[in-house]
Amino acid sequence: GEVYDVAIDMRKNSASFGQWFGTLLSATNKRQLWVPAGFAHGFYVTSETAEFVYKCTDYYAPEHEISVKWDDPMLNIDWPILANTKPSLSAKDELGLPFNEAPTF
């Protein structure tokens, strides 16, 4: 499969605060994306299906998880979504916060 993987700098004192980076990851291109601490992370499956695995620096703690609105106009992420379609979102991601209301580091 293939995913479009995105990282957003949430570090308020960073020169790149609020900027994002996105890249396609697939079994074919064998790319990986390292997302540093202080960044938000999201992905969009661009193929019919995909197996997506990621590692964390600590144990998973869902009570500390926060979502940023995937289509926040302030971020203006260029998701590779087909025209006139909406992505399938988890319940948590449906409730994503606007970037300017999300916690920063």
Side-chain angles (χ1 to χ4, degrees), residues 8-83:
I8 306 165
D9 191 349
M10 303 297 289
R11 303 168 301 165
K12 61 185 168 205
N13 294 323
S14 170
S16 60
F17 175 67
Q19 295 179 22
W20 62 272
F21 173 82
T23 189
L24 284 172
L25 306 178
S26 71
T28 304
N29 70 24
K30 301 189 185 325
R31 290 183 178 172
Q32 297 180 14
L33 179 64
W34 177 68
V35 180
F39 280 67
H41 172 252
F43 62 92
Y44 174 69
V45 178
T46 57
S47 55
E48 185 68 29
T49 63
E51 184 176 324
F52 191 72
V53 179
Y54 53 94
K55 294 182 179 183
C56 299
T57 56
D58 210 338
Y59 293 101
Y60 176 59
E63 67 274 13
H64 298 294
E65 198 170 49
I66 297 167
S67 289
V68 175
K69 223 168 145 42
W70 71 273
D71 59 349
D72 188 296
M74 187 177 221
L75 295 171
N76 197 30
I77 297 172
D78 189 18
W79 296 101
I81 300 171
L82 296 175

Side-chain angles (χ1 to χ4, degrees), residues 84-105:
N84 302 316
T85 61
K86 279 193 81 174
S88 175
L89 301 175
S90 68
K92 174 184 63 78
D93 290 340
E94 287 280 359
L95 301 173
L97 297 173
F99 175 74
N100 62 355
E101 294 177 22
T104 56
F105 301 92

